[in-house]
Amino acid sequence: MGQSKIVSLDRFVEKSLYDKEFGYYSTRNPFGVSGDFITSPLVSILFGEMIAIWTVAFWESQQKPKNFNFIELGPGDGSLCKTLLNTFKKFPEFYNSLNVYLYEKSEHLIKIQKKEIKNDKVLWIRKMDKIKNGTSLFFGNEFFDAIPIKQFEKKNKTFYEKFIRYKKKDHLEFFLKKASKNDLKELKKFNLLKKGGVIEYPKMGIAELNKIISVIKRYQGGILLIDYGYKKSQKISTIQSIKAHKKNSLFKNIGNSDITSLVNFSLLKNLFIKNKLKINKIVSQSFFLQKIGILKRASILASKMTFREKSNIYFRMQRLLSNKQMGALFKVAFAYKGKKKFTLGFEK
Ligand SMILES: C[S@@+](CC[C@H](N)C(=O)[O-])C[C@H]1O[C@@H](n2cnc3c(N)ncnc32)[C@H](O)[C@@H]1O
């Protein structure tokens, strides 16, 4: 990074995470107990199996399209994709219609994914226009929380954007700069100008989502998103830097810590509605996974297990489902354009 420069918060985070030389996601495999964080596919294989079964059910509900694209957004270490493919194979008619695309930005993670996943159906893409004609279902687990956001604040009737100023390499500080007219227009569009306190605006995330929405509008299909986030903004900064499973200062261990922010699900909903997609009610991860039968599946598996294995599987279920752990903070959204209504996992 240059000397005595200012850079917007989202650009700063983008560099810290994705710089080709020193970015966090360009230099390591951060997932798992020995990494910095654990995501649901690594908590339990049942998470991936349930997503696979839900996907097959969606395909069936749309009258079994002959060309069906499954696009995973930010596949991490590839664990989820492996589980999905193993489960998809159990449904031969579905499997014959299937193409899998992995949308990944980190060259380093692509290498890890390619070692893990050896299957002719899988294509790695950096551009959405590589997706061929076919009903297209996008899936992202903790994809949007890893996309940097902008922050704004209002002071004396003027809106400012948060920037970071570096004086010397080790001396960074926040700095407020008058917000651009274009950004203010966007904030207004999403009803964000009325909010006091910290206004979070996922400009880069929206750009990604717009590309995805245009594929869905062209080919039909949908987007299933699971992420930690909120429906009502608390007007505070939700940016967090994590190193070795612990909170870390944003200005420390740059390139060596993961930086995330909570996803504003109301804003996503707004964008889907503006684009005339159907959208299901946003529910918690606990609600969704239980509705699609994760506990039934766990109990079938547990009936053939030793006491120790049983305790392990229920310990993992607790982690995914408990409101004190990932169950409530993680939300699930599904927006789609299709022949038939599909509400599996979202209705009582
Ligand atoms: C927090 S990780 C989640 C990984 C995985 N989905 C899981 O649940 O374990 C975020 C993933 O999204 C990828 N990513 C972030 N921004 C991206 C972008 N704009 N385009 C493609 N991939 C991106 C990261 O490289 C990483 O693979």
Side-chain angles (χ1 to χ4, degrees):
M1 290 196 216
Q3 296 251 313
S4 180
K5 289 246 171 76
I6 63 162
V7 62
S8 62
L9 179 63
D10 55 346
R11 290 276 162 225
F12 171 80
V13 173
E14 173 158 64
K15 272 242 162 225
S16 314
L17 294 180
Y18 303 107
D19 182 271
K20 288 214 158 58
E21 234 173 88
F22 71 82
Y24 179 73
Y25 281 105
S26 311
T27 49
R28 77 208 61 225
N29 180 354
F31 306 96
V33 184
S34 58
D36 290 313
F37 56 88
I38 291 187
T39 57
S40 299
L42 297 166
V43 171
S44 170
I45 199 168
L46 292 193
F47 177 85
E49 289 182 357
M50 299 321 292
I51 298 297
I53 289 165
W54 183 93
T55 300
V56 176
F58 174 66
W59 169 78
E60 275 183 349
S61 79
Q62 303 306 301
Q63 301 164 345
K64 303 185 174 179
K66 286 274 169 284
N67 284 316
F68 186 78
N69 302 319
F70 183 91
I71 306 105
E72 190 183 346
L73 304 165
D77 69 355
S79 298
L80 178 78
C81 183
K82 262 171 82 176
T83 308
L84 291 174
L85 286 165
N86 287 338
T87 315
F88 286 158
K89 279 183 193 152
K90 295 179 181 150
F91 301 89
E93 194 187 346
F94 169 78
Y95 195 70
N96 281 337
S97 318
L98 177 71
N99 290 303
V100 175
Y101 294 91
L102 298 183
Y103 183 66
E104 175 59 64
K105 179 175 177 133
S106 152
E107 294 295 336
H108 184 73
L109 288 181
I110 289 176
K111 272 192 207 137
I112 294 177
Q113 293 156 11
K114 284 193 169 162
K115 257 194 216 150
E116 288 293 317
I117 303 159
K118 306 247 181 255
N119 185 314
D120 291 347
K121 281 196 181 289
V122 181
L123 263 185
W124 276 261
I125 54 168
R126 274 305 300 138
K127 290 220 162 93
M128 295 294 178
D129 58 11
K130 294 275 186 274
I131 299 170
K132 296 219 179 87
N133 190 347
T135 303
S136 297
L137 178 67
F138 291 81
F139 175 71
N141 184 61
E142 291 205 40
F143 176 66
F144 282 97
D145 76 39
I147 301 182
I149 58 167
K150 284 186 177 295
Q151 287 186 344
F152 295 86
E153 276 172 38
K154 190 177 178 184
K155 287 205 160 134
N156 303 325
K157 297 191 182 158
T158 306
F159 284 93
Y160 292 92
E161 180 177 352
K162 207 183 255 183
F163 275 67
I164 283 143
R165 174 160 53 200
Y166 342 57
K167 287 187 171 159
K168 288 183 260 135
K169 193 172 180 269
D170 295 329
H171 187 92
L172 305 178
E173 60 188 11
F174 285 120
F175 168 82
L176 291 177
K177 192 177 164 208
K178 219 172 146 193
S180 77
K181 280 202 179 120
N182 267 347
D183 284 343
L184 286 178
K185 238 200 251 165
E186 289 293 305
L187 292 179
K188 194 167 174 204
K189 215 162 85 185
F190 288 101
N191 254 337
L192 293 170
L193 285 183
K194 283 185 201 142
K195 302 213 161 72
V198 177
I199 300 166
E200 298 198 319
Y201 178 61
K203 189 171 183 169
M204 294 181 184
I206 290 176
E208 292 294 340
L209 212 45
N210 279 332
K211 290 187 252 171
I212 293 166
I213 290 173
S214 63
V215 176
I216 297 173
K217 282 167 118 174
R218 192 173 334 131
Y219 293 147
Q220 306 214 334
I223 175 164
L224 178 68
L225 285 176
I226 305 186
D227 228 312
Y228 60 118
Y230 54 83
K231 290 195 244 179
K232 196 167 184 309
S233 163
Q234 301 300 306
K235 303 174 184 174
I236 50 167
S237 169
T238 68
I239 293 192
Q240 250 192 26
S241 171
I242 300 282
K243 180 162 173 49
H245 303 266
K246 292 208 177 83
K247 284 189 188 167
N248 169 70
S249 152
L250 188 63
F251 295 156
K252 293 222 169 95
N253 299 305
I254 297 168
N256 284 315
S257 33
D258 184 33
I259 305 171
T260 64
S261 52
L262 295 187
V263 173
N264 181 344
F265 276 86
S266 306
L267 188 146
L268 299 188
K269 187 173 172 182
N270 217 320
L271 191 66
F272 294 138
I273 292 171
K274 276 190 193 350
N275 280 284
K276 300 194 170 62
L277 298 185
K278 294 185 188 113
I279 170 151
N280 288 343
K281 189 172 154 231
I282 290 159
V283 296
S284 68
Q285 168 162 297
S286 179
F287 183 96
F288 177 76
L289 291 177
Q290 291 193 62
K291 277 287 149 198
I292 61 177
I294 199 166
L295 284 175
K296 275 190 208 117
R297 175 93 180 116
S299 91
I300 292 168
L301 292 176
S303 66
K304 295 172 209 140
M305 284 175 171
T306 63
F307 178 73
R308 212 190 154 126
E309 289 165 336
K310 256 186 217 165
S311 315
N312 186 294
I313 199 169
Y314 282 112
F315 171 77
R316 288 165 188 274
M317 286 305 101
Q318 176 82 358
R319 187 152 184 182
L320 290 179
L321 303 175
S322 153
N323 286 347
K324 289 196 187 120
Q325 298 191 52
M326 299 168 99
L329 187 57
F330 278 71
K331 312 268 184 300
V332 189
F334 181 53
Y336 62 110
K337 177 181 170 192
K339 294 191 171 98
K340 290 271 159 38
K341 204 171 158 196
F342 188 69
T343 57
L344 180 66
F346 294 87
E347 285 194 341
K348 285 201 174 132

